[in-house]
């Protein structure tokens, strides 16, 4: 799988949290990270139900250049979603395979508040579960 932004081959990387451990695909060149749906499913159970109010999350925006999904053979454009708390953070997600791409600074911004919970919220929103 290649980086949607700079086309570098993505490298598998393990993320550890006190509650979960799973793999993501990481770009050593631009620092972006890809989370696919299966990876996100594994952390679902550690997400607090009270924090899943995310229906109002994203409106699409064209602030940034369009990226193609690295998981869908670059046939599917990623859609843009604003982070609910920080409008400067634009998350790219795939409407087809439900993967999420975060650029380097975006992951750092999310980590400030607890990226695991945030990613979980986004995931729940993408799969349309209550
Ligand atoms: Zn890259
Ligand atoms: Zn995809």
């Amino acid at each position: 799988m290649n980086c949607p932004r700079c086309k570098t081959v993505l490298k598998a990387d393990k993320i550890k949290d006190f509650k979960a451990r799973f793999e993501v695909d990481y770009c050593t060149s631009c620092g972006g990270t890809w989370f696919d749906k299966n990876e996100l499913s594994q952390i679902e159970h550690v997400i607090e139900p009270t924090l899943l109010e995310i229906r109002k999350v994203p409106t699409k925006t064209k602030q940034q250049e369009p990226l193609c999904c690295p998981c869908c053979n670059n046939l599917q454009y990623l859609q843009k979603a604003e982070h609910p708390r920080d409008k400067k953070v634009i998350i790219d997600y795939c409407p087809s395979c439900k993967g999420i791409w975060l650029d380097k600074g975006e992951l750092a911004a999310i980590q400030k508040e607890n990226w695991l919970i945030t990613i979980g919220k986004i995931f729940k929103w993408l799969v349309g579960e209550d």
Side-chain angles (χ1 to χ4, degrees), residues 99-115:
I100 298 172
W101 175 257
L102 294 176
D103 289 317
K104 191 179 182 183
E106 294 170 345
L107 186 58
I110 287 170
Q111 278 174 328
K112 277 182 205 158
E113 68 168 316
N114 187 336
W115 74 268

Side-chain angles (χ1 to χ4, degrees), residues 47-58:
I47 298 158
E48 295 175 39
T50 51
L51 294 168
L52 297 177
E53 274 309 312
I54 44 166
R55 293 290 180 186
K56 56 191 159 190
V57 186

Side-chain angles (χ1 to χ4, degrees), residues 22-73:
F22 59 101
E23 269 190 21
V24 296
D25 296 291
Y26 174 77
C27 178
T28 54
S29 178
C30 72
T33 308
W34 176 257
F35 300 84
D36 79 26
K37 192 188 173 192
N38 292 332
E39 287 156 356
L40 292 170
S41 299
Q42 293 169 32
I43 61 169
E44 234 185 322
H45 65 284
V46 304
I47 298 158
E48 295 175 39
T50 51
L51 294 168
L52 297 177
E53 274 309 312
I54 44 166
R55 293 290 180 186
K56 56 191 159 190
V57 186
T59 51
K60 282 172 237 168
T61 171
K62 291 182 179 169
Q63 283 180 13
Q64 298 175 348
E65 61 180 292
L67 301 177
C68 289
C69 180
C71 199
C72 297
N73 296 319

Side-chain angles (χ1 to χ4, degrees), residues 78-95:
L78 297 178
Q79 295 194 23
K80 310 286 185 183
E82 283 183 350
H83 187 270
R85 281 202 212 157
D86 186 346
K87 301 296 185 200
K88 293 191 292 288
V89 177
I90 304 293
I91 294 156
D92 294 277
Y93 68 93
C94 177

